[in-house]
Amino acid sequence: MRSVRARAAIGATLVVAVALIAAGLAVLLVLRANLIGQADLQAEVAAREAAGQLATGTPYEDVELDDEEDHPVQVTDEEDRVVLVSKGLRAVTGTGATGVTPVPSASAGATSSPDDDDDDDDDRGRPGRGEVSSDDPEFSDGTATVDRTTADYRFAAVEATTPDGVTLTVYAGAPLAAEQEAVNTVRGAMLTGLPLLLVVVGGVTWLVTRRALRPVEGIRREMAAITASEDLARRVPEPDSRDEIAALARTTNETLTVLEASVERQRRFVADASHELRSPIASLRTQLEVAEAHPELLDLPGAVADTVRLQVLAADLLLLARLDAGEKPGSATVELGALVREEVSQRTGDRIAVAVEVPEGGAFEVTGSRGQLARVIGNLLDNAQRHAERSVAVSVAADGRGVRVEVRDDGAGVPEEERERIFERFVRLDDARSRDDGGAGLGLAIARDVAARHGGTLTVHRADEGGAAFCLWLPRPA
């Protein structure tokens, strides 16, 4: 089932159905328990009333049984012989015996009248007064046929002891017709109302879900149109509500904005890269064509310089492509103090000597790619050499939970409003000089990207010497 509305409607209907069924069963159980409790009470009252008469010595045939149709009574002795039944009782189940005809011998053995032997107060053979058991009665379910009508009854069993010492068990029943009728009525109402209620719940859920998902359909249509037209300047409609769908629309538009900016950067990058590659390739081709026609005019140093420039540019573009692809830095431990000394020692052809300031015995270890970090330091030194007048200095120091590498020069510095722009790709504040010196405006962009991939930062501020100070901060290993 692919429709969210259908799944929501069916899910809500199932949940409501389960809840209603559980609640209905609980109501039926409670109702039945209460009604059975009332029947138990009625049966117990009828049984104790009959047992009380037997306990006072009332003969079996003189026992008065009220409401014999609603409360059938059966009395048995210690040998489970029927000694007394209510009038009209034709059959019974669920009691101590199934008989409904009193045993003649038992009936004939009725106790004597309390008026006998009144004159002999000292007669010790006179029977005493009986008693009714105070224990809780036992209850059972059964049936009884009274005057050809059979019905279900709830029977209570109460023991009574006659003045002659005979223990009798009195079974009195209370009809369950009211309980069954009430339970059946409630059950029928539930079975009738439950489907209707579920239909209403499903329909309301369908309508509410349809209304709630209407903005989602608008977002989907607009996204399909954007995909078809490839126009990333378009945006999906944002509903006025402040719910999750409105948040989804805002997030989608923010994603489209970021994607549009990323695609635009990619287009500019491709255009700038093509432009930068075109110059050395065209120059190298010109020199080779001239050399082919006039070998004596071959400018070999210029061809080598153009080749080196082309090689450096290709390497920069390849590194940027790897960084954009999400290449993760290595996990090697790099000692920045030693790395800075090594990089400076290899720069024998620089026009200005680099002053190195690294404290002796310091531990300046970070985690990452040694080659990429060496590339960052080299790019910063190249930039400083390009703009310095008389001095270039590099220092390494601990800075909080990380290590700070600072490269300073005494050049013209970077204007404050340009301090973030210089880290963009193919950006030069002095295009002519940068191109003549071989720079393509990628060094600082590569340096910041590598720093960010290593969890660090690269910023620029004014140096004490008056020029630019580039600060590389990298975190130490955890």
Side-chain angles (χ1 to χ4, degrees):
M1 188 173 297
R2 300 180 180 180
S3 174
V4 175
R5 287 181 294 172
R7 291 200 299 267
I10 293 177
T13 303
L14 291 177
V15 171
V16 173
V18 172
L20 289 178
I21 291 174
L25 291 177
V27 169
L28 289 176
L29 291 176
V30 172
L31 177 61
R32 187 173 185 276
N34 289 337
L35 294 175
I36 289 179
Q38 294 179 9
D40 289 345
L41 180 60
Q42 295 175 11
E44 181 181 0
V45 170
R48 288 192 180 277
E49 182 178 352
Q53 297 181 54
L54 294 172
T56 60
T58 303
Y60 297 150
E61 62 271 12
D62 295 335
V63 175
E64 296 181 359
L65 302 177
D66 297 332
D67 299 328
E68 296 179 355
E69 182 177 353
D70 291 337
H71 302 291
V73 176
Q74 180 195 60
V75 181
T76 61
D77 61 10
E78 297 171 340
E79 298 179 2
D80 290 335
R81 295 180 301 175
V82 177
V83 298
L84 176 65
V85 296
S86 58
K87 296 179 181 180
L89 183 62
R90 298 291 180 263
V92 66
T93 60
T95 60
T98 59
V100 292
T101 303
V103 179
S105 60
S107 300
T111 60
S112 60
S113 172
D115 295 334
D116 293 343
D117 299 332
D118 286 343
D119 296 335
D120 190 3
D121 294 337
D122 296 333
D123 187 0
R124 299 183 183 277
R126 177 184 175 185
R129 182 178 178 84
E131 62 178 2
V132 179
S133 175
S134 60
D135 295 338
D136 292 336
E138 296 182 0
F139 298 97
S140 61
D141 293 325
T143 62
T145 302
V146 181
D147 294 335
R148 299 181 180 180
T149 301
T150 303
D152 295 327
Y153 285 84
R154 183 75 169 171
F155 289 97
V158 176
E159 290 187 353
T161 304
T162 67
D164 293 335
V166 178
T167 301
L168 302 175
T169 303
V170 180
Y171 295 94
L176 295 177
E179 176 267 339
Q180 293 173 347
E181 182 179 358
V183 171
N184 291 334
T185 300
V186 174
R187 184 189 298 114
M190 288 182 177
L191 293 178
T192 302
L194 180 61
L196 297 177
L197 184 58
L198 293 181
V199 170
V200 172
V201 170
V204 170
T205 305
W206 175 274
L207 295 177
V208 171
T209 307
R210 179 181 180 182
R211 181 179 180 85
L213 294 179
R214 188 175 300 165
V216 177
E217 178 61 21
I219 295 173
R220 187 201 64 80
R221 287 197 301 265
E222 187 63 25
M223 289 297 295
I226 293 174
T227 303
S229 63
E230 298 183 359
D231 183 8
L232 296 178
R234 300 175 62 172
R235 296 293 180 265
V236 300
E238 295 185 13
D240 297 332
S241 59
R242 298 182 180 180
D243 54 10
E244 291 82 357
I245 296 178
L248 172 64
R250 289 192 296 270
T251 303
T252 302
N253 286 333
E254 292 171 359
T255 303
L256 289 173
T257 301
V258 174
L259 182 61
E260 181 185 14
S262 176
V263 171
E264 184 61 29
R265 286 197 305 270
Q266 188 72 16
R267 289 173 180 172
R268 290 200 307 267
F269 177 79
V270 172
D272 293 339
S274 301
H275 176 72
E276 295 295 334
L277 288 171
R278 188 181 300 114
S279 297
I281 291 176
S283 175
L284 184 59
R285 177 181 177 180
T286 299
Q287 294 182 45
L288 293 177
E289 290 176 348
V290 170
E292 182 181 12
H294 306 282
E296 69 279 2
L297 299 179
L298 174 62
D299 183 8
L300 187 59
V304 172
D306 286 337
T307 303
V308 171
R309 178 183 172 188
L310 187 61
Q311 182 182 11
V312 171
L313 183 57
D316 288 344
L317 294 175
L318 179 60
L319 178 56
L320 282 174
R322 294 205 312 268
L323 293 176
D324 288 342
E327 178 181 301
K328 296 182 179 180
S331 57
T333 299
V334 181
E335 215 289 324
L336 286 182
L339 182 62
V340 168
R341 291 193 185 95
E342 179 180 345
E343 284 297 311
V344 173
S345 66
Q346 295 177 357
R347 304 177 68 89
T348 56
D350 288 348
R351 66 185 184 89
I352 299 176
V354 179
V356 180
E357 304 170 5
V358 180
E360 294 294 336
F364 307 110
E365 294 181 345
V366 297
T367 301
S369 169
R370 182 180 180 87
Q372 292 184 7
L373 293 178
R375 182 68 173 276
V376 172
I377 295 173
N379 288 355
L380 295 179
L381 291 175
D382 288 341
N383 182 77
Q385 288 284 344
R386 189 176 298 120
H387 297 90
E389 294 183 0
R390 291 181 299 274
S391 67
V392 175
V394 56
S395 62
V396 182
D399 186 357
R401 297 183 178 180
V403 180
R404 183 184 73 252
V405 178
E406 191 173 68
V407 178
R408 305 183 303 275
D409 63 70
D410 61 348
V414 180
E416 186 173 356
E417 64 275 8
E418 301 287 349
R419 289 179 182 174
E420 284 300 317
R421 181 171 172 268
I422 62 173
F423 293 106
E424 297 178 6
R425 300 176 182 182
F426 298 106
V427 170
R428 306 183 188 88
L429 299 186
D430 188 348
D431 285 345
R433 184 177 65 176
S434 297
R435 184 172 286 110
D436 291 342
D437 291 343
L442 294 177
L444 295 180
I446 292 174
R448 171 165 277 191
D449 282 354
V450 171
R453 294 297 192 280
H454 285 73
T457 59
L458 178 60
T459 57
V460 60
H461 58 276
R462 186 174 179 80
D464 295 337
E465 295 83 354
F470 287 85
C471 180
L472 170 67
W473 183 89
L474 296 173
R476 293 184 179 184

